[in-house]
Structure formats: C-alpha cells, structure tokens
Amino acid sequence: MCENTIEINSQLTNKEPVNHLENGQPVYETFPKVDHGMEYSEFFEKFLCGNQPLIFSDQLTRKWSSVKDWSTSEGVPNLDFFEKIIDKESLVPVSNCSKKYFNSQECKEESFAAYLEYWQNYTISHPEAEPCKYLKDWHFHRDWKHSYTAYRTPQYFCSDWLNEWWENRADSEQENDYRFVYIGPKGSWTPFHTDVFGSYSWSANIVGRKRWVFFPPGEEKKLKDKLGNLVYDVESEEAKELEEKNGPITKFEIIQNSGEVVFVPSGWHHQVTNLEDTISINHNWFNGCNILSVYFLLKAELRKVEKEISDCKDTGDDWTEMCQNLLGASYGMNFLDFLSLLTCILDRRTRMLDEENLDIKFDGYSLGVNHSKFDISRIHLVLGYLLQDFVQLGMKEQIEKCEYLLDICKSKSEIQ
C-alpha cells in the first residue's frame, strides 16, 4: 500500500455502528499520548470508532511551514509574518473573552491590522484592565490558501466528509470550510462547549501552551442548570455548586505544548485556556465513524425548531420549509444540506470503486478501497433513517432522491 494512502483492515468495513452520544460510554481512565508512528488503521478503530481522545507529540507537526514561520526564535508568536501573506485590512472574527454573550463570548469583526496593533500593545504586559481579545474561527485556509501553505492535514484526520463536501459540492457557489486558525494572548479562553454538529475536532498548537479540561459524553449533564443550560465556565462557583448537587464529575485535564496535536472525539465537552500567547490550527470534521451521532443531533435540533415555532404550524405557510430554513440558519445545517453531503460523498466513493484511475484525495492522502467500502456502508445506514424522516415530513423530492441513493448503496454492497 502506498505511503500516502489511508486504509483500514477489511474486517472494519462491517464494524457495528454506534451513536457515541447515546450508547453506554466506556470507562475512560487515561488520556493517552502517542507519537506519529501509529498505523492509520489502529487510530481509526481505537480512537475514531471508539470515540476516545488522545494527544499526538510534536513529531506530527515538525515539518509544517507554520511551525517555522509563525513563531520567533524566542518561541513566541510571530504575527508580523502574517503581514507578508495577507491583506492587513481583511476582516477577522475577534471574541472578547471578558464579555459574555448568551452562553458564549461577544464576537465582532475587525481588520487584521487593528488586531495586530491590539496584540502588540496587550502582549507587553497583559493588563487586567484591558479586554482580553481572542482571534478565533478564522478561515485562514479558505481565504489565503492560494498565497501560503501553512500545514498539511495529518493522515489520521483525512477521512473528512465535512470539508470534502465543501471542497466538492456542486449545489452551492459559496466557498466555505471548517478549517480555522486561532490566535490568542495569555489568558484568552473558550467557554464550556461541544463541537459543532457533533463533529470530531483536532487542534495543533503551532506556538504556545493550552490547558484543556475534557468531559466524556454524559458528564456534561451534571453541569446543566434547572432550565437545561450548560454552565458557562467549569471553574465558576456555579459549576462547583452543580457538581455538589449532581455528584462527582469525571473529567481530564491536560496541558498541550507547542507542536502537539489534540484529538477531540464526538460529544466530548471541553473548555480551553491559553497559558501563554498562542497560535493554533483547528479543524472540525466528521466521517463514517461518527455520522450516526451527527444525524441524531441534527434530528434533535429539528425537534427544537419545531417546538419553538409550533404556534406557526397552522398559518398556511409551508411548515416543513420554514422549519428547514430556520434549522439551517440556527444550526448551520439542515436536512437538505445533510442529504447533499451524503450524496456528494457517496458519488465520489462509488466513482472511485467504478473507475480504476480515479483517486480520491484529501490534502494529498489517497483513500483506500476498504475505506471507501466502509464509507458507503455507513451512508447506506444513515440514508435509511433519513428516508423515514422525509416520508414523515412529506418531502417527495427528497424521498425519491433517498430511494435512488439507497439503490446505489445496495448495488455496491452486493458487489462487495
């Protein structure tokens, strides 16, 4: 097998699917740290399918251009380098860590030049009287990939349906991705949360150190108030009172150093604090291992939307369309988007198996045959659930599309 191919053992193509967010979770006793020599198939089975966290050593990132360019000889962030490759007046999202907004932080856009000026002044002494501002969720790859290559996605994270869909979808002219750069001074932080869509995430520290506090799926329920809202800060008095009320909480605290990469499984709530001035690269993604969790979360969000606007159901408007539009606006994805994603991935996998010379790649890593078969089997499973939903919602066009795609999946499974 080629060195740049991600492949799994053939027996894994029939591995029993799991909804990581609902099924009984294993007892987690450690937060393992490994080097980059682990076989992809081992990572796939133990950590992706098993939904277990780990941290990779800095060997995984040592060849990245960003590791060299984004830090000074003193080992601190080098923001001056960005001036060479981006438009300083381009807008970036900046959160005020000192100002709560609902259960997150106030976020506004400002020019990179303005943030750079703030950074140069603030990081001299990190004054408590000044707001702590965190540049995060910056689509650096999307906006500047044509002028600079900061990194190559590690092979372990290249079965990435979410970003593959955005790179190849034919039903939208909008360019987007779930690849981000974070730049934050010492003390900047991200409140208690779980990742979008029930996705996995990976986070590579280019320079600086972070402190992570992780909670296995289900433990976050002990940190909800009587209205079902998650606590904002797991180190607050409110969190301590909730733990006293609801019982001891299983959690893991780790320190991530420069160059190290953290893998965050589906549904693992976490809170992150920068212990030093820090730059990191983060991806959100999902694939066949956690697609069932992604589907059930999406369905749960639709139920919330339907409940929220139930008084509009008999107004004569298209109720189903209204709910899907609101779901897309509030959650970032609706059932039509989800079907589009499954269609795109299935089309690419079936063409790969049908066309001998078609190579499916993500950041230079090719997908193996067994991996493609696994992907098709998981798409088949989720399409079955989705078809039932479309029948219940009376969405005729989508019913026909699902039935067509299910026939394709079935024909491929018969060939296998």
Side-chain angles (χ1 to χ4, degrees):
M1 183 175 63
C2 175
E3 181 182 350
N4 289 325
T5 298
I6 57 171
E7 182 60 295
I8 60 176
N9 297 327
S10 57
Q11 64 265 29
L12 292 177
T13 59
N14 297 315
K15 188 173 179 65
E16 189 70 21
V18 173
N19 177 4
H20 297 303
L21 309 184
E22 293 296 335
N23 286 32
Q25 300 293 321
V27 177
Y28 300 98
E29 298 180 349
T30 61
F31 200 108
K33 183 174 181 177
V34 300
D35 62 27
H36 71 307
M38 178 185 291
E39 291 291 331
Y40 174 82
S41 192
E42 180 184 354
F43 175 77
F44 181 92
E45 181 174 14
K46 186 179 295 184
F47 296 99
L48 290 180
C49 292
N51 207 45
Q52 298 216 31
L54 85 160
I55 183 168
F56 285 95
S57 74
D58 60 5
Q59 292 296 304
L60 203 61
T61 61
R62 60 188 176 88
K63 294 183 179 180
W64 290 2
S65 299
S66 53
V67 170
K68 173 176 63 74
D69 297 333
W70 295 2
S71 64
T72 68
S73 57
E74 289 78 30
V76 297
N78 177 21
L79 267 61
D80 292 338
F81 178 82
F82 288 91
E83 294 187 87
K84 303 175 184 178
I85 55 174
I86 72 168
D87 176 2
K88 287 174 57 178
E89 297 307 315
S90 62
L91 297 178
V92 293
V94 177
S95 294
N96 184 346
C97 297
S98 310
K99 196 167 185 179
K100 183 178 178 181
Y101 182 76
F102 292 98
N103 220 35
S104 188
Q105 295 163 339
E106 182 182 73
C107 182
K108 296 181 178 180
E109 286 191 329
E110 60 183 64
S111 69
F112 184 81
Y115 187 76
L116 179 59
E117 181 179 1
Y118 159 80
W119 177 277
Q120 290 168 340
N121 293 324
Y122 185 84
T123 55
I124 294 172
S125 60
H126 303 89
E128 291 186 8
E130 296 293 322
C132 182
K133 297 168 70 173
Y134 197 176
L135 194 170
K136 58 182 176 179
D137 294 329
W138 180 20
H139 291 272
F140 178 84
H141 175 83
R142 181 193 69 188
D143 297 340
W144 303 106
K145 61 180 179 289
H146 300 300
S147 59
Y148 180 75
T149 302
Y151 62 98
R152 181 188 186 189
T153 303
Q155 61 169 328
Y156 308 107
F157 316 131
C158 279
S159 174
D160 179 346
W161 292 8
L162 183 58
N163 287 297
E164 182 182 351
W165 173 55
W166 273 108
E167 287 182 3
N168 297 279
R169 64 183 300 189
D171 60 348
S172 175
E173 295 181 0
Q174 178 187 4
E175 185 178 11
N176 203 9
D177 65 12
Y178 283 83
R179 303 172 172 222
F180 307 105
V181 166
Y182 283 46
I183 303 175
K186 177 182 178 181
S188 54
W189 66 294
T190 300
F192 189 47
H193 71 287
T194 188
D195 288 316
V196 62
F197 308 139
S199 63
Y200 301 128
S201 68
W202 63 265
S203 178
N205 260 14
I206 303 305
V207 56
R209 298 168 69 239
K210 292 181 187 288
R211 174 176 174 264
W212 296 70
V213 186
F214 282 99
F215 299 78
E219 292 300 297
E220 77 283 353
K221 296 175 183 177
K222 300 174 185 176
L223 289 171
K224 289 184 176 182
D225 63 22
K226 59 184 179 182
L227 298 177
N229 298 313
L230 282 174
V231 70
Y232 176 67
D233 179 359
V234 297
E235 297 178 350
S236 65
E237 285 301 317
E238 180 187 8
K240 293 175 183 176
E241 291 171 4
L242 287 170
E243 183 168 5
E244 288 177 6
K245 175 185 175 183
N246 298 322
I249 298 175
T250 300
K251 61 183 178 181
F252 297 90
E253 296 186 22
I254 65 164
I255 303 298
Q256 180 190 16
N257 298 305
S258 292
E260 295 179 339
V261 182
V262 170
F263 166 66
V264 184
S266 280
W268 280 65
H269 285 69
H270 49 283
Q271 184 166 305
V272 192
T273 303
N274 290 320
L275 302 178
E276 300 172 353
D277 299 338
T278 302
I279 304 178
S280 63
I281 291 171
N282 301 43
H283 281 205
N284 291 105
W285 96 104
F286 53 76
N287 57 30
C289 298
N290 64 338
I291 193 65
L292 204 57
S293 302
V294 172
Y295 160 74
F296 281 116
L297 268 181
L298 179 64
K299 186 170 182 176
E301 288 298 319
L302 176 61
R303 296 291 174 260
K304 291 179 185 178
V305 168
E306 291 173 337
K307 182 178 179 181
E308 189 70 25
I309 61 169
S310 57
D311 56 335
C312 301
K313 190 168 186 178
D314 299 320
T315 60
D317 296 324
D318 189 326
W319 165 253
T320 298
E321 183 179 352
M322 184 187 303
C323 289
Q324 290 299 324
N325 288 339
L326 285 172
L327 178 61
S330 62
Y331 191 61
M333 179 180 289
N334 61 25
F335 277 34
L336 302 179
D337 296 322
F338 191 58
L339 180 59
S340 166
L341 184 148
L342 295 176
T343 302
C344 173
I345 302 302
L346 178 60
D347 175 65
R348 287 169 59 79
R349 300 301 179 270
T350 54
R351 286 195 296 117
M352 175 193 162
L353 296 179
D354 291 342
E355 301 172 29
E356 187 175 335
N357 296 321
L358 182 64
D359 193 10
I360 299 295
K361 286 189 174 184
F362 188 87
D363 267 14
Y365 286 100
S366 300
L367 198 69
V369 171
N370 291 335
H371 213 310
S372 283
K373 292 178 179 178
F374 172 86
D375 289 354
I376 292 171
S377 71
R378 290 304 170 90
I379 292 170
H380 190 182
L381 172 71
V382 176
L383 280 172
Y385 285 111
L386 200 55
L387 174 60
Q388 295 175 37
D389 294 324
F390 287 136
V391 169
Q392 191 174 44
L393 294 169
M395 300 174 69
K396 294 182 180 179
E397 182 179 338
Q398 286 70 37
I399 292 171
E400 292 176 1
K401 185 65 176 288
C402 269
E403 290 175 339
Y404 170 72
L405 296 175
L406 281 165
D407 285 342
I408 293 176
C409 292
K410 186 178 179 181
S411 68
K412 293 302 173 186
S413 63
E414 289 173 350
I415 292 173
Q416 294 173 31

